[in-house]
Amino acid sequence: MSTRMRFTQTLLFRVIVAIILGIVCSFFFPEWLARIFVTFNGLFGNFLGFFIPVLVFALITPAIASLGRGAGKWLGITTAIAYGSTVFSGLLAYAATQGLYPWLLGADQAGASVDIDEGALESFFNVEMPPPFDVMTALLLAFTVGVAMTTVKSDSLYRGATQLRDVIMKIISAFIIPLLPIYIFGMFLSMGMNGNLTTTLSMFFKVLVLAVIGTVLLLAIQFSIAGAIAGRSPWQSLKNMLPAYATALGTSSSAATIPVTYKAALKNGVSEKVAGFTVPLCATIHLAGSMMKITLFAFAVMFMADKPVSPGMAIGFILTLGITMIAAPGVPGGAIMAAVGVLQSMLGFDQEQVALMIAAYIAIDSFGTACNVTGDGAIAMIVNRFAKDDVIDRSEELSFDAEEANSASSATGA
């Protein structure tokens, strides 16, 4: 326990230092030096894009298989909880827009489109790293193989899956996590030197503050419910998730934060088998924070353009967006890219409004992602409260089989 606590505290400190240094250095770094970090971030980001589907498959497959009986049921229940949390976030955001926007935004009008690429620093070179398959393929394959392994006796395949998981976790702990602070530093350095962040935040400052407050309120609600169900202190549980929040704040990537979220969930009393199942799954399908930001910004654009949003339109948009965002890759800005089609088809956004949404969303992408991954810990606590007593770990099943075999052998010998 003490080793895990030292790990989370050290990582939290490094992430905070990286964020501060990135902002400070953006004021005086020469362009050639900043481009070195931009190049590193491009390479590291491409590697994450390659690695994410492999990571999802390697973690979810043995996690589902290890649940033994009840895997299919808890897979569906976890998915339903994650989707319900995402939809609830959207409804909460819509209620806030109806009550606050007339007072908060007043007669503001939507500005001109924002060129999010203008003045952006470019890397010296780029190396494409196409993934072996996309995230949805990894999820479907992991679900199919994992659930099938719970019903078919496949001890060798299960051991192979657990060994693959151990290899992937070693890559994460020995390679990805040590480089995360550099990646975080580069992201904040790049945002500060590009100047896009200042322009966008000056236009959407009021909505930005509302979005941040909204995500904090959402987390308070999530952990109040999870704490009541799990019988744990909501404040202490939320405090244990701060390293995951800080890591996601810097990386804007749910997938890159999975190892940190996993360790934080264990500190909240979640069993390893449940954490290994819920955390990587929710990193892809639980997007409550992203839903909060997209809904607030989208309806702000509609309000400033004097286009009223009816309750029916809002509910339909939220329900559809909650499903569409699942297809978003676990990389920075993925949710808004997946949401573009819904914004255009359901809210009638034109190209200028879409560009404004993308610029505003990417500027504070990390806050939504941090809310997403922190909320994953609350879902893990809820699932753990019920699933840990309802399922049998695959390793326990194997040990039971061995004991039964030994008993039968002894009886035969007698």
Side-chain angles (χ1 to χ4, degrees):
M1 178 64 69
S2 59
T3 301
R4 185 181 301 137
M5 185 176 298
R6 286 196 301 270
F7 167 82
T8 54
Q9 291 176 343
T10 301
L11 180 61
L12 178 60
F13 173 76
R14 290 177 180 176
V15 168
I16 293 175
V17 170
I19 293 173
I20 295 175
L21 287 179
I23 296 174
V24 172
C25 292
S26 67
F27 290 104
F28 62 87
F29 260 33
E31 181 177 334
W32 66 266
L33 182 57
R35 289 180 64 188
I36 293 177
F37 290 96
V38 171
T39 303
F40 168 80
N41 275 24
L43 296 175
F44 190 76
N46 287 346
F47 177 78
L48 284 180
F50 159 80
F51 189 65
I52 284 169
V54 181
L55 180 148
V56 169
F57 173 77
L59 294 187
I60 292 182
T61 301
I64 294 177
S66 67
L67 290 177
R69 296 192 301 270
K73 178 179 72 173
W74 287 108
L75 169 64
I77 291 176
T78 303
T79 302
I81 294 174
Y83 181 70
S85 174
T86 301
V87 171
F88 172 78
S89 175
L91 296 176
L92 184 65
Y94 174 65
T97 65
Q98 295 300 295
L100 297 177
Y101 277 6
W103 164 75
L104 189 65
L105 300 181
D108 291 346
Q109 298 295 320
S113 63
V114 177
D115 184 359
I116 61 176
D117 295 322
E118 183 178 359
L121 293 174
E122 296 182 356
S123 61
F124 287 109
F125 62 90
N126 183 50
V127 178
E128 296 294 335
M129 305 179 191
F133 37 78
D134 59 32
V135 173
M136 287 305 298
T137 301
L139 275 173
L140 292 174
L141 187 61
F143 294 162
T144 303
V145 175
V147 172
M149 288 170 60
T150 65
T151 58
V152 177
K153 188 175 181 59
S154 51
D155 297 343
S156 298
L157 184 58
Y158 172 72
R159 293 190 180 94
T162 57
Q163 290 174 354
L164 175 62
R165 177 198 61 198
D166 294 340
V167 170
I168 295 300
M169 291 301 294
K170 181 63 176 179
I171 295 175
I172 293 171
S173 62
F175 178 71
I176 293 181
I177 287 184
L179 293 178
L180 278 180
I182 302 176
Y183 182 57
I184 293 170
F185 170 82
M187 289 195 67
F188 277 85
L189 174 69
S190 177
M191 285 192 295
M193 295 190 68
N194 286 345
N196 299 329
L197 183 61
T198 303
T199 302
T200 305
L201 294 186
S202 64
M203 184 181 302
F204 269 76
F205 179 74
K206 295 178 181 179
V207 183
L208 163 68
V209 174
L210 181 60
V212 174
I213 294 175
T215 56
V216 173
L217 176 61
L218 178 63
L219 288 175
I221 295 174
Q222 289 175 336
F223 277 88
S224 294
I225 296 174
I229 294 176
R232 299 181 65 89
S233 167
W235 167 247
Q236 185 60 44
S237 299
L238 183 57
K239 183 180 178 181
N240 289 338
M241 295 298 301
L242 287 181
Y245 186 95
T247 302
L249 196 65
T251 62
S252 297
S253 172
S254 298
T257 316
I258 285 176
V260 186
T261 309
Y262 176 82
K263 291 179 179 294
L266 296 183
K267 291 185 64 178
N268 282 335
V270 179
S271 67
E272 292 186 359
K273 62 180 180 180
V274 174
F277 167 58
T278 58
V279 169
L281 174 62
C282 289
T284 302
I285 66 174
H286 182 227
L287 296 154
S290 299
M291 172 68 81
M292 172 73 67
K293 293 196 297 91
I294 290 178
T295 302
L296 287 174
F297 280 115
F299 292 167
V301 171
M302 296 289 285
F303 180 86
M304 291 188 290
D306 196 23
K307 296 180 179 179
V309 180
S310 66
M313 176 186 295
I315 293 174
F317 171 77
I318 291 169
L319 293 176
T320 304
L321 182 61
I323 298 174
T324 304
M325 286 193 301
I326 296 177
V331 294
I336 187 60
M337 297 305 175
V340 167
V342 182
L343 291 171
Q344 292 176 326
S345 62
M346 301 194 69
L347 299 185
F349 273 35
D350 57 27
Q351 292 300 321
E352 292 184 352
Q353 292 170 329
V354 168
L356 185 62
M357 278 291 301
I358 293 175
Y361 182 93
I362 292 179
I364 59 168
D365 184 27
S366 55
F367 286 98
T369 304
C371 181
N372 292 341
V373 301
T374 306
D376 294 347
I379 294 178
M381 291 171 59
I382 295 174
V383 174
N384 184 76
R385 168 64 177 80
F386 300 102
K388 67 178 182 179
D389 298 325
D390 187 53
V391 297
I392 299 178
D393 192 289
R394 181 61 176 262
S395 60
E396 295 175 0
E397 289 182 338
L398 295 179
S399 64
F400 292 158
D401 291 343
E403 291 177 0
E404 291 175 358
N406 291 335
S407 299
S409 178
S410 299
T412 303

